[in-house]
Amino acid sequence: MLKAILTFDVEEFDVPLEYGQQITMEEQIEVSTRGTLLLKALLDKHQVKSTIFCTGQYALSQPELLKTLAEKHEIASHGMYHSSFDAKVDLPASKKLLSQITGQSVEGFRMARMMPVENQDIADAGYVYNASLNPTFLPGRYNHLDKPKLPFVQDNLWQIPATVTPNLRFPMFWLSFKNLPFSVYKMFSNSALNRYGIINLYFHPWEFTDLSAYTTIPAYVRKHSDRVLLQRLDDYITWLKAKGVTFITMKEYVEELKQKK
């Protein structure tokens, strides 16, 4: 059975700050919320569940929305803040907060921008899995060409890598989804599904809003945003379902991996 994990990093929209454009926290939350609501409607339409990695700061600003999302989706941690991180404080604090708001057992963590975090700190905070690995090379970010492409256990913690193509390790993350020709992305998806039996993809809600006002952000980030990208995701989910792909949460996937171990 072919499977797909759709994950969304629900966070403060702080991308403009990276490129020197000031934006208030209120606007950061508003942009992310707008995109989250659009995605919620799309996932509801297709009756597809996902895993949502949420920051504590966003959860505190939109607790009712997070509770609603938790009714159908897995909630996992994206740290307390998207722009800063204190492992000893933020890992346990975000886990506790998200669990209190949603009533879910929060088992997963993904670091902002997929940056490295000590496995021991994650495990000590009570998490079961770490979804912070993209086993590819991204200039200026990281080089993980030596890392496994499939899940593995390290330091008593499940590591769940984002999907890359089987041979070239081309990343199938959000930038690829919006910038590649759709036919090419589907071709890569077929290749990954045929080899792995599952694909694990990640996006951000703010991508699905109008980013034209944020002129300092590079074009490859701003392009194909708003309804254009939402329609592409709509078409992609339809295409996957036509192939018989089943959508599962990352928590469900980890449970399957445990049973096979």
Side-chain angles (χ1 to χ4, degrees), residues 11 28 39 41 43 53 74 83-84 87 90 97 101 124-125 129 155 160 166 170 193 200 214 229 241 248 250 257:
E11 62 202 26
Q28 292 178 44
L39 287 168
L43 297 174
F53 292 91
E74 177 193 359
S83 295
S84 65
D90 294 349
L97 174 64
I101 291 175
D124 287 348
Y129 70 84
D155 302 323
I160 311 297
F170 192 90
L193 284 167
N200 170 29
Y214 305 102
L229 191 63
K241 291 176 75 173
I248 64 173
M250 197 166 286
L257 292 171

Side-chain angles (χ1 to χ4, degrees), residues 9-18 23-25 27-33 54-59 61 78-84 113 204 206:
D9 294 351
V10 179
E11 62 202 26
E12 309 86 81
F13 173 55
D14 59 0
V15 180
L17 299 178
E18 292 186 61
I23 176 174
T24 65
M25 179 57 65
E27 187 174 353
Q28 292 178 44
I29 297 297
E30 191 277 329
V31 170
S32 190
T33 299
C54 186
T55 64
Q57 186 164 31
Y58 185 87
S61 70
H78 201 36
M80 277 301 295
Y81 312 97
H82 198 253
S83 295
S84 65
R113 301 177 180 88
H204 312 86
W206 50 261

